[in-house]
Amino acid sequence: MDGWVGAWTGGRRAVHIGNVADFNEQFRQEDERPDADRRARRLRQAHHYAGLAVAYSPDPSALVLPAEADRAWIDLLARELDWGPVEFHSGIAPGSTVADALAARPALAERLAGDPGPVLHWGRTPDLGDGPELAAVRRYESKAATHELFTALAPGHPGIRVPRQEHADTPRRAARRLAARAARGLTTVLKSPHGVGGYGTAVVTPQELLAAGGARALLRRLVREDVLPPGGDLLLEEYVDSGPAGSGRLRDLTFDAVIGADGRVHPVGVGEMAVDGTRYQGVTVGPGVVPPGAAAAAERFGLAVGERLAAAGHRGWYDVDFVTDRERRLAPTEANLRLTGPAIAFVLRHRLDEVRGPGHLVRTLDAMPLGARLSQEALFGHLERLRPQCARLGATVLPLIVTACYEPEPAVGLALAARDAEALDAAQALLGSAHHALGRMFEALR
C-alpha cells in the first residue's frame, strides 16, 4: 500500500493507546515546589484529550483509554466508520499515566503488544524504549530547536518567513526583554519551550503590559492564572499580524505527514485550524479548505522539515503549524513529533472517503461547551437526538471526547463530516444552539 496510510499502518488494523498524558509529562516543567493540584488538573485534561485515540488510524483493532468511557460510543463509531470488532479498555489510569497503568497489568500489556497490527501511541515516550527516535522527539519538541531548524531551511522557500525569537532563561531576563520590546511598541508572543495545545503561550501587547503594572507583574499573573508554567524559562517571539479580524484571511494552518520506517516522508495534508487566542480548538480538512498556493507552500516547507526530522531519527507522525502574515506568507511557529489534533481529522476523512466515497470535509471541535454537566448516558441521548437533525443538513456527527461532560466547565469533542463547508457550518451552528439551550434549561430548573 502506497502513501501515508501504508507508511503509518501498512494497511492493517491497529492498537490505539491513549497516552497523551505520558507524552506531556515527558516535557512537563515544574518549579522547585511542584503544585499537586496543577499536576492533577493537567493529568485529567490530558486523559480527556486522549479520547482522540479512537481515530489514531482508519480501523482500530483495540483501544486503550485512561478515563472511563461508555462502550456505546465505540459501537456508534464502529457503525458509522465500518470498523470490525474493537477490543476496548477504558478507565485504566484515572490517577496515573497509561505507562504506569499498563506496567501494573502485564497480561493486558502483553496481549496488546502481541496484536498482529501496529501499536500506535500519541507520541514516543521513555517507556517505549530509548534510541534515536526518542532523542529526535526530545530535541525537536522544543520550540527553540524547531525555530533554529525553520531558520536554516527558510532561505530555500521564498513564501516562508520565520518570526524572530529570543530566549530568556530566568523571570528577570524575560521581564526585562518583554519590557524593552513593549517600549518599542512591539506585541510579543511568550512561549514555554515545551507548551502544548496553546498552554504555555500568551500574546502580550504594550497596552496589556502597561495595564498589568509592568512586565514582572504580568508574568507573575500569567503563572498564577496557569497560562504560563512556573520557572521563567521563556521564548519571546515576534507577533505575526495577519490583518484585520474578519477580513477572510487564513490565519492558522497545519501540515501533517508521516515518516515511514525507511525514513521516507509521506504527506498527509494541509488543514485550517481554529485557534481561540492561543488555544487550539479544532481543524477543518478536505478539498478546497486551503487555497492551492498556500497548501503547496506549506507542503513544500513541511516536507523539508520532515526530511531533517527523519535524518535525526524520528519515525511516525509529525506536523508543522503556521500563521500567515499580511502578505500571505507562511510563518512556521512549531513542529510536533507525535500525533496531533488535526491528525484525527485527516484519519477520519480518509476512512469516510474509503467507506462512503471520496469528497469528504471533516471538522473537529475538540472542546465544544455543553452548557450543563451531563452523565455520559445523558450526553449520548442528547447527541442522538441531534444527529438526525444534522444528517438532514448533510452532516454526520462523530463523538470523540466524551469524558469531559461532567467537568466544572463541561465539554464534548466532536467531528463533523460533510460534502461541503456550508453543511459543516450549519451543523456546528445547530449543535452550538442546542448546547446553549441545554444550559438555559438546566439553569431554569435550579
Side-chain angles (χ1 to χ4, degrees):
M1 175 179 290
D2 295 328
W4 69 265
V5 177
W8 185 229
T9 68
R12 295 171 294 169
R13 305 187 72 205
V15 175
H16 299 184
I17 309 290
N19 70 330
V20 172
D22 305 50
F23 188 89
N24 292 352
E25 174 77 3
Q26 181 177 341
F27 301 106
R28 182 174 55 88
Q29 298 182 17
E30 293 276 4
D31 62 2
E32 294 180 356
R33 297 174 302 279
D35 185 331
D37 290 339
R38 184 193 300 266
R39 184 179 184 279
R41 182 170 61 254
R42 198 70 68 224
L43 183 71
R44 189 171 66 250
Q45 291 169 343
H47 282 351
H48 290 320
Y49 204 65
L52 295 182
V54 297
Y56 281 1
S57 80
D59 191 6
S61 61
L63 173 63
V64 178
L65 297 181
E68 190 72 42
D70 196 299
R71 174 84 210 195
W73 300 107
I74 307 306
D75 293 340
L76 185 156
L77 291 171
R79 291 193 298 272
E80 292 285 359
L81 299 170
D82 196 25
W83 290 341
V86 179
E87 181 180 344
F88 182 49
H89 305 274
S90 74
I92 73 161
S96 69
T97 65
V98 170
D100 288 343
L102 289 177
R105 302 172 69 174
L108 174 59
E110 184 177 355
R111 185 164 75 252
L112 295 171
D115 191 275
V119 180
L120 304 178
H121 299 79
W122 179 254
R124 186 81 181 184
T125 51
D127 60 286
L128 302 176
D130 209 339
E133 292 185 26
L134 183 61
V137 171
R138 285 189 181 278
R139 178 179 179 185
Y140 285 112
E141 275 288 321
S142 163
K143 292 176 174 60
T146 50
H147 184 269
E148 292 177 1
L149 176 57
F150 297 157
T151 302
L153 293 173
H157 296 266
I160 300 293
R161 57 157 298 190
V162 180
R164 292 181 295 276
Q165 186 186 93
E166 55 183 322
H167 182 213
D169 58 358
T170 68
R172 185 180 297 274
R173 289 193 180 97
R176 186 167 60 244
R177 293 177 183 179
L178 182 59
R181 291 179 57 81
R184 292 156 52 202
L186 299 176
T187 294
T188 300
V189 183
L190 295 175
K191 292 183 174 182
S192 166
H194 292 106
V196 292
Y199 169 73
T201 303
V203 177
V204 179
T205 66
Q207 296 77 15
E208 289 169 330
L209 193 67
L210 181 63
R216 296 181 71 177
L218 176 66
L219 292 175
R220 286 196 297 268
R221 193 194 78 197
L222 292 174
V223 171
R224 186 171 62 250
E225 293 176 351
D226 203 21
V227 175
L228 297 176
D233 187 24
L234 290 173
L235 305 172
L236 290 80
E237 191 168 282
E238 171 192 5
Y239 175 74
V240 177
D241 184 5
S242 296
S247 64
R249 294 178 183 269
L250 292 173
R251 170 66 183 171
D252 297 279
L253 302 181
T254 185
F255 166 75
D256 284 51
V258 173
I259 301 174
D262 59 0
R264 292 175 56 198
V265 185
H266 302 266
V268 176
V270 180
E272 182 180 8
M273 296 186 292
V275 179
D276 181 11
T278 62
R279 299 293 178 110
Y280 171 80
Q281 302 293 308
V283 71
T284 304
V285 305
V289 169
V290 179
E299 179 170 320
R300 284 193 299 269
F301 189 77
L303 289 173
V305 171
E307 289 171 1
R308 292 290 189 92
L309 299 180
H314 182 55
R315 297 294 183 268
W317 206 284
Y318 77 94
D319 82 348
V320 181
D321 294 338
F322 303 86
V323 295
T324 59
D325 69 7
R326 285 177 176 264
E327 286 74 45
R328 298 184 181 271
R329 293 175 299 176
L330 301 185
T333 58
E334 66 178 13
N336 296 295
L337 283 70
R338 54 172 170 81
L339 276 159
T340 65
I344 304 311
F346 286 117
V347 168
L348 290 172
R349 180 198 164 203
H350 172 85
R351 184 61 175 180
L352 287 165
D353 282 357
E354 191 174 46
V355 300
R356 297 186 183 181
H360 285 87
L361 282 72
V362 172
R363 177 175 297 165
T364 53
L365 307 163
D366 285 358
M368 197 171 193
L370 277 172
R373 300 172 78 179
L374 299 175
S375 66
Q376 287 190 42
E377 182 180 7
L379 176 61
F380 189 89
H382 172 67
L383 291 180
E384 281 296 274
R385 288 187 291 274
L386 293 172
R387 276 164 38 81
Q389 298 178 50
C390 290
R392 286 193 288 274
L393 297 172
T396 299
V397 180
L398 302 171
L400 303 176
I401 300 173
V402 299
T403 58
C405 54
Y406 207 72
E407 287 289 316
E409 296 182 2
V412 62
L414 303 170
L416 302 175
R419 301 286 182 172
D420 57 73
E422 291 75 15
L424 292 179
D425 292 342
Q428 182 176 347
L430 172 66
L431 291 166
S433 296
H435 295 169
H436 184 64
L438 189 69
R440 292 201 310 270
M441 180 184 71
F442 273 74
E443 186 65 31
L445 294 174
R446 288 182 179 175

